[in-house]
Amino acid sequence: MGFQISKAVIPAAGLGTRFLPATKAMPKEMLPVVDKPAIQYVVEEAVDAGLHDVLMITGRNKNALENHFDHVSELEETLRKKGDHDKLKKVNQSTDLADMHYVRQGDPLGLGHAVLRARMHVGREPFAVLLGDDIIDARDPLLKRMIEVQGERNATVVALLEVPESQTHMYGIATVEPTDVEDVVKITGLVEKPPAGEAPSNLAIIGRYVIRPEVFDVLEKQEPGKGGEIQLTDALMKMAGAEEWTGGVYGVVFRGRRYDTGDKLDYIKAIVQLASDRDDLGPDLRAWLTEFVADE
Ligand code: G1P
């Protein structure tokens, strides 16, 4: 058995240019998905998997993120005086969630560079990385399963999802071999965003990783890759090729519900899907959607 994993790293330094002008003065991670900022789903997922120590890698313009996970005394006091406990509970939900830490990325040199900024905080333990653009449905726990597999194999574990061939150019794509466990594959190759038609498979890395600390030694020497950025995918490929030292890299194939909030259309779909599943909004939303589609 490996270490008891307790730390989650959440890169949140991106500029969010796909959502301009909404993200001109506000981090994209704060965009609401129904009534919670996207980033809160991700922190809740980490905590649900037992990771109470959360390090966010932020950048300029990201103060709202820190504020969201901190107390807001004036508002709390007002709600308390009014006796509005429901709203007070909503305010406190994100405050009491996790032990939050922040470090700035400095130059935006890529995901691998962002993860390397976690080195001091993480130390020599395996840790999880959660990317904010992906929301995993709380009813389909993925991270817990990945942590379990990490412990059993003392390896690095990434989350994989089968995607249509038309989308492989948007992801890190894995070449795999089966193992004796149905949802676990061994990774023999990884390529970051292969050009259309050149993907070695349709198994895409979605934004969840449980990584051994050797990754920092690899990232430190990692040359820029796709897009001139220091790519986490390239570092993981090296770890897969140095099994005696790193324990290798495995994939957990996810078949549950995942919502992408990374671009506008997917973001709108995520809101509709999550809202239509909720007791307070779902029935009215579904009825309206049916009417709306019929009118169209
Ligand atoms: C990153 C990774 C990519 C992965 C993707 C998952 O890309 O570099 O390998 O497949 O996240 O969302 P990004 O979407 O940040 O460009």
Side-chain angles (χ1 to χ4, degrees):
M1 285 294 283
F3 278 92
Q4 183 66 40
I5 298 181
S6 63
K7 289 175 184 163
V9 173
I10 304 182
L15 297 175
T17 52
R18 281 187 238 177
F19 286 90
L20 282 169
T23 50
K24 184 179 171 190
M26 180 182 86
K28 70 167 175 176
E29 292 81 4
M30 288 301 294
L31 290 171
V33 177
V34 189
D35 50 9
K36 264 195 288 192
I39 192 73
Q40 190 175 331
Y41 289 86
V42 179
V43 175
E44 284 173 353
E45 183 193 333
V47 171
D48 277 349
L51 313 177
H52 295 271
D53 179 323
V54 174
L55 175 71
M56 239 175 239
I57 318 290
T58 68
R60 298 180 69 77
N61 238 343
K62 301 285 183 167
N63 293 346
L65 286 175
E66 295 192 28
N67 291 339
H68 184 70
F69 293 99
D70 195 4
H71 278 287
V72 50
S73 317
E74 211 179 287
L75 176 60
E76 286 168 35
E77 194 46 41
T78 308
L79 293 172
R80 206 168 288 123
K81 274 193 194 140
K82 277 192 190 165
D84 195 337
H85 298 291
D86 274 359
K87 291 214 176 85
L88 193 59
K89 207 170 133 200
K90 284 187 182 142
V91 168
N92 285 333
Q93 232 172 25
S94 55
T95 318
D96 303 329
L97 203 50
D99 184 7
M100 301 296 299
H101 305 268
Y102 303 89
V103 61
R104 286 217 190 184
Q105 187 178 0
D107 298 323
L109 299 179
L111 178 59
H113 176 257
V115 170
L116 183 56
R117 299 286 292 133
R119 181 179 214 162
M120 286 296 279
H121 184 84
V122 166
R124 300 306 291 177
E125 303 166 22
F127 62 103
V129 172
L130 294 87
L131 305 187
D133 285 348
D134 291 299
I135 293 178
I136 304 292
D137 198 298
R139 294 164 294 185
D140 302 323
L142 165 65
L143 196 55
K144 259 188 216 150
R145 176 72 185 130
M146 294 172 69
I147 291 171
E148 193 175 81
V149 173
Q150 198 286 326
E152 285 162 7
R153 299 186 187 251
N154 196 17
T156 288
V157 180
V158 302
L160 297 175
L161 181 77
E162 280 187 38
V163 300
E165 223 176 286
S166 58
Q167 289 177 15
T168 50
H169 68 283
M170 294 154 53
Y171 296 95
I173 300 293
T175 311
V176 304
E177 282 170 3
T179 67
D180 50 358
V181 183
E182 198 270 326
D183 65 334
V184 180
V185 290
K186 182 166 186 195
I187 295 200
T188 56
L190 284 173
V191 48
E192 179 67 9
K193 304 195 179 101
E198 288 177 33
S201 82
N202 67 342
L203 282 175
I205 304 180
I206 46 172
R208 300 294 180 272
Y209 309 76
V210 182
I211 310 181
R212 280 203 5 187
E214 287 82 356
V215 74
F216 297 125
D217 307 319
V218 179
L219 281 171
E220 200 177 42
K221 301 193 198 93
Q222 187 62 51
E223 299 288 331
K226 188 88 185 179
E229 295 186 348
I230 298 178
Q231 296 291 352
L232 181 61
T233 304
D234 295 343
L236 295 176
M237 177 62 216
K238 284 198 187 127
M239 290 178 80
E243 210 176 326
E244 324 76 68
W245 175 50
T246 65
V249 181
Y250 289 82
V252 166
V253 182
F254 182 60
R255 300 201 172 86
R257 287 159 283 193
R258 166 230 182 203
Y259 314 96
D260 186 353
T261 61
D263 73 31
K264 273 179 269 195
L265 184 60
D266 287 328
Y267 169 73
I268 294 165
K269 287 184 198 166
I271 293 176
V272 173
Q273 281 172 299
L274 283 160
S276 74
D277 264 355
R278 277 189 21 180
D279 294 341
D280 57 340
L281 299 166
D284 286 352
L285 176 63
R286 280 196 299 271
W288 176 80
L289 272 174
T290 313
E291 250 176 64
F292 179 74
V293 170
D295 283 354
E296 286 287 288

